[in-house]
Every structure is written in structure tokens, then in C-alpha cells.
Amino acid sequence: HVDGYKYHEIADSLEIPIGTVKNRIFHARKEIQKKLVAYST
């Protein structure tokens, strides 16, 4: 997604549902934000 791919392109490429793609990206963003907050303090 960061490289400019659309959700549906990722889902098609990996042959998984689009909801799974969105869910994984959402949770990855949350994890990165958590780590950045810990890093900055």
C-alpha cells in the first residue's frame, strides 16, 4: 500500500479477500505508531 498499490491490487496479487488486506494494513499502521511513540519518548 505504501508503494502506491491499491487495496484491490494487493488482494488480487495475494489472492486474499480485500477485507483481509485492509485489516492487516490497519493493524500494521497501529503497531508502527505504537513503536514510534515509544521511540520518541
Side-chain angles (χ1 to χ4, degrees), residues 7-8 10-21 24:
Y7 289 124
H8 68 87
I10 298 168
D12 290 345
S13 175
L14 297 175
E15 298 179 353
I16 58 175
I18 194 166
T20 302
V21 173
R24 289 180 182 173

Side-chain angles (χ1 to χ4, degrees), residues 7 20-31 33:
Y7 289 124
T20 302
V21 173
K22 289 180 178 183
N23 185 34
R24 289 180 182 173
I25 291 173
F26 172 79
H27 286 290
R29 283 183 179 147
K30 277 181 58 175
E31 192 65 30
Q33 286 176 344

